[in-house]
Amino acid sequence: MNIVVALKQVPDLQQIRIRNRQPVFDGVPYTIGSIDKNALEAGVQLKEVSGGNLMAVSVGNEELEDTIKEALAGGADEACLVIDDKFADIESSISAALLAAAIKKIDDVGLLLFGEGSGDNYSGQVSSRVAEILGFPQIGYASQIELEGQTARITRVLEDSEEVLEVRMPVVVSVLSDINKPRIPSVTQILKAGRKPKKVLGIDDLEIELSGDRTITTLSSLAPETDRQRIAIKSAADLISALRAEGFLGR
Amino acid sequence: MAAILIYSEKSPLALELLTAAAVIAQDTDLDVKAVCINNNEQADEMAGRGATTYHIQDNLNLADTACVAAALEQAVNKLDASIVLLSSNRRGKELAGRLAQKIQAGCLTDVNGLAVVEGKIQCSRNALGGAVISTQRIETEQQVIALTPRSFEASPVQEGGSVQPLAIEAVSSPLKLISSRGQAGDTVDIEAADILVIVGQGMEEEDMGLVESIAQTLGGEIACSKPLATDRKWLPEDRIVGLSGKKCKPQLAIILGVSGQVQFTVGIRDAHTIVAINNDENAYILQMADYAMVADLKEILPELKGALG
């Protein structure tokens, strides 16, 4: 059985600077989305228990061949990448169409893992869209995954409740960031990562037609203006007076 | 006439969607139609707020997103809906993508503001981990928009509502719900708190008692940055403020030992008054505070507790 984990290459958010309220991407390296790393780790742990092959799948620009090494070092056995220089910043519906087309080329997919949201946009649409395209059932916001034969048993955590669900695979599962703590790859694993099998596909290799029309237009993207007083406080007593003046004490 | 369809399994959120739908309806020629699934109480409540309500009563597995999406797809077609408003809670977000794919709609989730400009809906949402706020427009004929909880007030009581049954074709589900339970113990709702004392990685565990006592004196609740709940496990996950936690708008936020990465600040930047205390004078959090204090928490917390009495 193949355990497939879908990963998104995102700009390293820690390194994005804001200038004149605009994000500056110059020199910002790519990385794998933070919750995607939890999805990868979940796949590695399941593979360690149940066996199978762990395949990383991703869509992106040319940088992806380098970025994906992080996933191969983190425990994926191989990678299947859809690369095109137009894929630097594509919308969810197109990512989903490309991922689904790539996943269709993989035999015997059992579990298809996603992070609950991408590192940059966090819209959480892609896992649901891929599940719909492939006709797979889906379970989002997993805090625990157990596999037994052809059955997956998933604990889903909602805002105010928890559900335990069982489903026959294949199934799409999105994981929460606290499902695990991704391991830090050893030097040997990092060195080995470069030699693991990597299949690179172009859009012509996929049975897919993209219309090219964007379904979403971004009209503006600006850092919020911070309009704060920034009054420097020197002592606990000063802070108490300030809170009292604002009416927060003795309520 | 084409319609705005609204659905959330949570009644308080469905009432917020009704308000948002009214904002759109005001500037378009769309009718508002509320859909409820297997929930008499919600159907009556929606009707009581003036909504034309359609009640689906069927043997649906509500834990199965694909199943609910298939039911809503039928409702969209029967009710001639061009806009679907869902809540951007976990179930709603999961549903949004699936339904959008089914009906070939463009979709935006975590939308926290709506406006109709020249007949088209503009949505605002956080992007780049919260570093920027994007204003976006969906270009497809049909649109699915999931709204962040508490972005709109609940719709008030109004006359003119009604409830009618909506029949759909059966949808089967391969998912088996083994068990379901409410989360035990801690049920503090930090989104509802007027005053929050928020702790970050600059805290030491032995000082948490002081923080609790300060929060209690102020009549506030304790919240935290993500690592304190997920890595250190000092507080439950439902106390996390930030992008993947709660977006809070308290009157007062006292932020202790949080450096102020954007994934955190996005959850608190709408607070009315922000107090930040940090030992690093370069911490970003001090720039987004109304009252900024550079101090060692070990020294300042006992002083604060003492001064508060």
Side-chain angles (χ1 to χ4, degrees):
Chain A
M1 181 185 77
N2 277 304
I3 298 174
V4 176
V5 52
L7 307 161
K8 184 177 181 187
Q9 166 179 268
V10 296
D12 185 349
L13 298 180
Q14 316 287 350
Q15 300 194 39
I16 295 175
R17 298 280 165 268
I18 301 289
R19 207 172 292 144
N20 298 328
R21 298 186 64 202
Q22 303 274 0
V24 179
F25 293 96
D26 294 345
V28 174
Y30 283 108
T31 179
I32 288 172
S34 129
I35 311 175
D36 297 0
K37 290 178 188 167
N38 298 105
L40 174 69
E41 177 65 28
V44 176
Q45 290 182 10
L46 288 165
K47 193 196 117 165
E48 283 169 353
V49 176
S50 315
N53 184 53
L54 182 62
M55 176 100 96
V57 178
S58 189
V59 174
N61 64 5
E62 284 105 4
E63 305 277 329
L64 183 58
E65 277 207 64
D66 200 45
T67 310
I68 204 68
K69 284 182 192 155
E70 221 179 319
L72 293 167
D77 296 308
E78 54 183 306
C80 173
L81 310 174
V82 186
I83 293 185
D84 192 300
D85 57 6
K86 294 192 293 292
F87 295 166
D89 181 28
I90 46 177
E91 55 186 64
S92 304
S93 59
I94 299 172
S95 294
L98 291 165
L99 281 171
I103 292 162
K104 276 183 192 165
K105 290 185 163 283
I106 302 169
D107 291 331
D108 190 24
V109 174
L111 189 63
L112 178 46
L113 294 165
F114 287 80
E116 51 130 327
S118 62
D120 52 354
N121 208 17
Y122 194 64
S123 90
Q125 281 184 48
V126 174
S127 58
S128 290
R129 284 186 180 269
V130 168
E132 175 63 25
I133 297 169
L134 297 174
F136 289 1
Q138 68 180 114
I139 297 170
Y141 305 97
S143 67
Q144 210 180 330
I145 306 169
E146 291 166 85
L147 305 183
E148 203 185 299
Q150 287 303 305
T151 303
R153 179 187 274 246
I154 316 282
T155 305
R156 170 198 265 156
V157 180
L158 298 169
E159 284 83 357
D160 55 1
S161 64
E162 267 186 35
E163 294 171 349
V164 179
L165 298 145
E166 260 183 22
V167 64
R168 206 180 147 77
M169 292 188 279
V171 61
V172 170
V173 175
S174 81
V175 308
L176 290 166
S177 63
D178 64 346
I179 190 172
N180 56 41
K181 203 169 173 180
R183 65 196 67 189
I184 311 287
S186 68
V187 176
T188 332
Q189 282 170 313
I190 292 169
L191 290 173
K192 271 191 194 158
R195 293 197 296 274
K196 286 185 175 176
K198 217 168 13 176
K199 186 154 92 181
V200 177
L201 302 172
I203 191 156
D204 297 337
D205 301 315
L206 301 172
E207 282 83 51
I208 188 173
E209 269 182 59
L210 297 176
S211 75
D213 294 344
R214 290 189 76 91
T215 67
I216 308 287
T217 304
T218 299
L219 304 164
S220 71
S221 232
L222 293 171
E225 282 179 301
T226 47
D227 186 20
R228 296 284 172 184
Q229 304 178 62
R230 290 200 233 166
I231 299 169
I233 297 284
K234 297 290 176 204
S235 67
D238 284 357
L239 180 56
I240 301 291
S241 330
L243 293 179
R244 184 162 285 126
E246 295 249 8
F248 289 120
L249 295 184
R251 283 151 65 108
Chain B
M1 189 157 67
I4 305 164
L5 185 156
I6 66 174
Y7 170 76
S8 173
E9 86 285 0
K10 295 275 181 220
S11 299
L13 303 184
L15 295 179
E16 295 174 10
L17 298 183
L18 197 50
T19 304
V23 169
I24 300 171
Q26 203 175 12
D27 290 318
T28 56
D29 57 358
L30 301 171
D31 287 335
V32 179
K33 295 175 180 176
V35 170
C36 303
I37 302 178
N38 295 346
N39 191 338
N40 278 315
E41 205 180 313
Q42 190 188 64
D44 289 342
E45 186 156 19
M46 298 301 280
R49 312 285 170 131
T52 308
T53 308
Y54 296 84
H55 194 194
I56 296 173
Q57 282 175 296
D58 201 279
N59 188 24
L60 277 177
N61 182 355
L62 295 178
D64 185 345
T65 302
C67 203
V68 177
L72 286 183
E73 180 188 19
Q74 295 185 46
V76 164
N77 293 335
K78 287 183 186 219
L79 302 175
D80 190 21
S82 56
I83 312 289
V84 179
L85 298 184
L86 304 172
S87 51
S88 213
N89 58 343
R90 287 183 173 177
R91 263 209 217 292
K93 256 179 106 163
E94 202 179 319
L95 178 61
R98 188 110 195 187
L99 178 62
Q101 189 64 39
K102 266 188 193 299
I103 63 175
Q104 296 295 305
C107 173
L108 290 170
T109 59
D110 287 340
V111 169
N112 51 31
L114 286 175
V116 179
V117 179
E118 290 165 1
K120 291 187 167 175
I121 302 169
Q122 291 188 359
C123 300
S124 59
R125 66 184 305 278
N126 292 306
L128 287 181
V132 295
I133 297 171
S134 290
T135 304
Q136 296 178 302
R137 194 171 63 204
I138 303 176
E139 302 292 357
T140 46
E141 184 76 31
Q142 287 183 310
Q143 312 186 5
V144 175
I145 301 171
L147 296 168
T148 306
R150 290 172 210 270
S151 300
F152 291 85
E153 301 280 322
S155 181
V157 172
Q158 277 174 62
E159 294 195 348
S162 61
V163 182
Q164 52 196 295
L166 183 68
I168 57 161
E169 277 173 43
V171 187
S172 67
S173 169
L175 247 61
K176 207 158 55 176
L177 184 61
I178 306 293
S179 66
S180 169
R181 62 177 176 87
Q183 274 176 2
D186 194 9
T187 52
V188 168
D189 182 2
I190 58 168
E191 285 168 314
D194 263 352
I195 296 181
L196 284 178
V197 181
I198 308 173
V199 293
Q201 295 193 88
M203 274 302 293
E204 288 184 25
E205 191 164 20
E206 61 198 38
D207 296 328
M208 285 299 285
L210 285 169
V211 174
E212 269 163 41
S213 136
I214 290 167
Q216 204 169 18
T217 311
L218 289 168
E221 299 292 348
I222 296 184
C224 63
S225 66
K226 191 171 173 185
L228 258 70
T230 54
D231 298 347
R232 298 192 193 172
K233 305 205 183 291
W234 295 357
L235 289 164
E237 210 200 327
D238 61 4
R239 303 262 187 148
I240 298 173
V241 168
L243 187 68
S244 56
K246 306 265 173 75
K247 321 280 184 298
C248 302
K249 295 178 195 170
Q251 287 299 307
L252 172 65
I254 300 182
I255 304 176
L256 307 170
V258 179
S259 63
Q261 287 180 0
V262 69
Q263 291 89 335
F264 169 79
T265 60
V266 63
I268 200 65
R269 66 186 173 208
D270 293 333
H272 182 269
T273 301
I274 295 180
V275 175
I277 306 180
N278 204 292
N279 63 358
D280 175 5
E281 60 180 319
N282 295 317
Y284 177 74
I285 198 79
L286 297 172
Q287 290 183 38
M288 62 170 286
D290 296 291
Y291 298 99
M293 187 169 190
V294 180
D296 186 344
L297 290 174
K298 282 220 108 39
E299 287 165 20
I300 202 70
L301 289 176
E303 284 177 36
L304 264 182
K305 180 177 184 302
L308 282 167

